[in-house]
Amino acid sequence: MRCPVMNINQRLGLFAILLGILALFTKDPTKASMGRIDPNKLLLETHSTSRFIEPFDLAEKIISGTQYFILVDLRSEKEYEQGTIPFAINLSVKDLMAGALQRNQQIVLFSDDDTKSLNAWLALKSLDYKNVFILKGGYKGWVDNVLFPKIPAEVSQNEKEKYEKIKQVSLYFGGKPLLVSEGKTLEIQSPVTSSVNTQLPKPSVTSPKPAGKAKPKREGC
């Protein structure tokens, strides 16, 4: 008899339940925070889309600098040094579980894809971290949606401002928007000028950098 295949939400939900059961039996005072976890609430959160942040929304937050958050790159140190998102720090899940970040900080996690980030998100939630979010699509989502977004060759007058802003954000982070038509890339857009008011300010957001880590690159690739 074959075991049923569970999707990521089902697996996270099962993990949440197991954490709740573990919290009932643990006597270790260092795990006291786990005793405050409501497994039913955690199970609901694993199915909520509010735990995700879109790459373009993150880009706007970085540029505006109006909201303080810790951006955590969960990938390997080698991948991190080859290119990351501006102001990201490189931490492992083990670092997070060891208390590298404070519970009152707003945290955005990302990796190669959503799976590793979801596991880290659940680990932090199990330790009673409140404001934890996941970058949807991971670093690949950032590359595809911020650095190299696909811009239709023909857009309506109402969409011009929207796509102009997407271009400006891409160029701001050192990317190159891709002009596409009928699913084919026509050319790589060069910097554009426009009467649309999409000039972007310099970012003022900063994040603490752990000792011994390389300075993150501004470029995304």
Side-chain angles (χ1 to χ4, degrees), residues 4-213:
V5 177
M6 294 188 294
N7 61 35
I8 187 63
N9 278 336
Q10 289 171 327
R11 281 182 286 166
L12 287 172
L14 178 59
F15 188 27
I17 293 172
L18 291 175
L19 285 173
I21 295 172
L22 179 62
L24 294 176
F25 290 97
T26 182
K27 300 298 182 181
D28 187 346
T30 62
K31 297 183 176 64
S33 63
M34 295 183 68
R36 297 196 298 270
I37 296 171
D38 181 347
N40 293 322
K41 181 180 179 181
L42 188 56
L43 182 59
L44 288 174
E45 287 191 62
T46 63
H47 290 79
S48 172
T49 58
S50 63
R51 65 181 183 271
F52 290 103
I53 180 171
E54 295 288 342
F56 194 81
D57 292 340
L58 175 64
E60 290 188 305
K61 289 179 183 294
I62 293 174
I63 291 169
S64 68
T66 57
Q67 189 172 6
Y68 181 78
F69 55 89
I70 307 296
L71 184 57
V72 180
D73 188 339
L74 296 166
R75 299 174 304 151
S76 69
E77 185 172 354
K78 181 180 179 180
E79 291 173 309
Y80 172 79
E81 291 177 347
Q82 289 175 343
T84 190
I85 299 173
F87 307 105
I89 60 174
N90 188 209
L91 295 175
S92 67
V93 177
K94 184 177 180 181
D95 294 329
L96 297 177
M97 295 298 287
L101 301 176
Q102 299 178 6
R103 287 189 176 87
N104 62 349
Q105 293 175 317
Q106 182 162 290
I107 302 165
V108 178
L109 306 168
F110 72 93
S111 186
D112 293 315
D113 53 38
D114 292 341
T115 303
K116 187 174 182 179
S117 299
L118 283 165
N119 290 335
W121 174 87
L122 188 54
L124 288 178
K125 297 298 287 187
S126 73
L127 293 174
D128 206 28
Y129 282 74
K130 304 296 185 184
N131 300 311
V132 187
F133 303 91
I134 298 166
L135 177 62
K136 191 170 184 179
Y139 186 65
K140 185 179 185 302
W142 173 267
V143 171
D144 291 344
N145 293 279
V146 177
L147 295 181
F148 303 107
K150 293 180 179 179
I151 307 295
E154 297 182 3
V155 298
S156 67
Q157 189 66 33
N158 293 335
E159 293 179 314
K160 281 187 177 180
E161 184 172 350
K162 168 189 171 182
Y163 284 110
E164 182 65 22
K165 185 172 185 179
I166 291 174
K167 290 179 185 179
Q168 294 291 344
V169 170
S170 172
L171 295 169
Y172 179 89
F173 286 105
K176 292 182 179 180
L178 306 177
L179 185 66
V180 296
S181 177
E182 298 181 352
K184 297 181 180 180
T185 301
L186 300 181
E187 63 182 74
I188 297 178
Q189 292 282 18
S190 58
V192 294
T193 57
S194 171
S195 59
V196 179
N197 185 22
T198 54
Q199 294 301 312
L200 305 174
K202 295 296 181 183
S204 59
V205 63
T206 56
S207 295
K209 182 163 60 69
K213 295 294 184 182

